[in-house]
């Protein structure tokens, strides 16, 4: 290929790229490109060993229902998935729930799913602060499946709450914003006046999450 042809091809490529860039706002591609080239990671743990473990492990993406043993999940679903039922059916279910010992036990269950223990996982939810650092960054918190838990609504069952204790602190918290946390999941009870958790997550990184993380219950 002659040098003249090469120059012509290069000019055409630049010309085509220029036309494409002028069209980006019309197709909202500028937003897509910014997402493509920008990181959604808001926090990375200073624990090098933990970061290396996650870098060399397969990460399991968990939904909140996967933290519930099947017996707890069945009874909670029976009484809490009633939004499509008639008012009379909902009233009947509510009355049954008050006398169903299995349901009452599930509301305070500390039973965990052993298969997810000591696994590298990611899970999305909302933060409920427990402790703040002097700079107002959050150090300890609960991760919960829906906005308002422990504040506007009663706390979820302990096996639907995850306790997190960061080495340093996370400064980008918004109560109404959901986040995706990645780390190593352990079992262990932690009690606070806001609630009790049956799981502990050693967090390696935190990302912003823009969908609804709660897939198993309504309020």
């Amino acid at each position: 290929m002659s040098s003249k042809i090469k120059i012509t091809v290069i000019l055409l490529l630049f010309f085509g790229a220029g036309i494409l860039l002028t069209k980006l706002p019309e197709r909202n591609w500028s937003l897509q490109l910014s997402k493509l080239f920008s990181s959604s990671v808001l926090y990375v743990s200073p624990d090098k060993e933990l970061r290396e473990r996650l870098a060399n492990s397969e990460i399991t993406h968990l939904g909140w229902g996967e933290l519930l043993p099947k017996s707890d999940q069945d009874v909670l679903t029976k009484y809490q998935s009633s939004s499509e039922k008639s008012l009379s059916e909902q009233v009947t279910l509510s009355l049954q729930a008050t006398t169903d010992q299995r349901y009452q036990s599930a509301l305070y269950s500390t039973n965990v799913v052993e298969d997810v223990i000591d696994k590298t996982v990611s899970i999305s939810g909302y933060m409920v602060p427990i402790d703040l650092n002097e700079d107002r960054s959050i150090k300890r918190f609960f991760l919960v499946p829906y906005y308002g838990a422990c504040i506007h609504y009663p706390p979820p069952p302990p096996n639907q709450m995850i306790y997190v204790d960061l080495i340093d602190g996370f400064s980008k918290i918004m109560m109404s914003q959901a986040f995706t946390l990645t780390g190593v999941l352990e079992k262990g009870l932690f009690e606070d006046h806001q609630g009790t958790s049956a799981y502990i997550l050693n967090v390696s990184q935190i990302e912003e999450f823009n969908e609804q993380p709660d897939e198993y219950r309504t309020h």
Side-chain angles (χ1 to χ4, degrees), residues 75 78-79 91-105 107:
V75 69
K78 174 182 177 181
Y79 290 109
V91 170
T92 299
L93 275 177
S94 296
L95 292 173
Q96 291 176 352
T98 60
T99 58
D100 190 330
Q101 188 57 47
R102 295 178 308 145
Y103 178 66
Q104 297 302 318
S105 296
L107 290 177

Side-chain angles (χ1 to χ4, degrees), residues 178-189:
F179 297 91
T180 298
L181 277 61
T182 303
V184 178
L185 191 65
E186 300 176 354
K187 66 177 176 180
L189 288 177

Side-chain angles (χ1 to χ4, degrees), residues 38-120:
S38 63
S39 173
S40 61
V41 176
L42 302 175
Y43 170 86
V44 176
S45 171
D47 187 335
K48 182 179 178 181
E49 184 177 338
L50 178 61
R51 296 198 312 267
E52 289 179 348
R53 175 173 176 178
L54 265 74
N56 297 309
S57 302
E58 181 178 352
I59 298 174
T60 302
H61 300 280
L62 292 179
W64 285 91
E66 294 174 88
L67 298 182
L68 285 169
K70 189 175 187 308
S71 57
D72 290 347
Q73 188 170 18
D74 288 346
V75 69
L76 288 172
T77 300
K78 174 182 177 181
Y79 290 109
Q80 294 180 345
S81 298
S82 60
S83 58
E84 296 181 359
K85 298 182 182 298
S86 66
L87 180 59
S88 60
E89 289 175 314
Q90 291 184 44
V91 170
T92 299
L93 275 177
S94 296
L95 292 173
Q96 291 176 352
T98 60
T99 58
D100 190 330
Q101 188 57 47
R102 295 178 308 145
Y103 178 66
Q104 297 302 318
S105 296
L107 290 177
Y108 303 98
S109 176
T110 59
N111 297 326
V112 300
V113 177
E114 295 290 342
D115 288 346
V116 300
I117 300 302
D118 201 36
K119 297 287 181 65
T120 53

Side-chain angles (χ1 to χ4, degrees), residues 136-155:
R136 308 301 294 172
S137 63
I138 183 173
K139 185 179 191 308
R140 298 192 301 150
F141 60 90
F142 287 125
L143 189 73
V144 295
Y146 53 90
Y147 173 61
C150 309
I151 302 173
H152 304 299
Y153 298 99

Side-chain angles (χ1 to χ4, degrees), residues 112-194:
V112 300
V113 177
E114 295 290 342
D115 288 346
V116 300
I117 300 302
D118 201 36
K119 297 287 181 65
T120 53
V121 305
S122 69
I123 186 167
S124 301
Y126 295 90
M127 296 180 183
V128 178
I130 298 173
D131 275 346
L132 298 177
N133 294 315
E134 290 184 2
D135 62 359
R136 308 301 294 172
S137 63
I138 183 173
K139 185 179 191 308
R140 298 192 301 150
F141 60 90
F142 287 125
L143 189 73
V144 295
Y146 53 90
Y147 173 61
C150 309
I151 302 173
H152 304 299
Y153 298 99
N159 53 21
Q160 289 292 277
M161 295 178 64
I162 300 174
Y163 172 67
V164 177
D165 186 353
L166 300 177
I167 296 174
D168 42 13
F170 179 60
S171 61
K172 300 183 184 298
I173 181 174
M174 291 179 58
M175 298 293 289
S176 60
Q177 170 66 52
F179 297 91
T180 298
L181 277 61
T182 303
V184 178
L185 191 65
E186 300 176 354
K187 66 177 176 180
L189 288 177
F190 178 83
E191 295 183 82
D192 182 76
H193 70 276
Q194 299 182 92

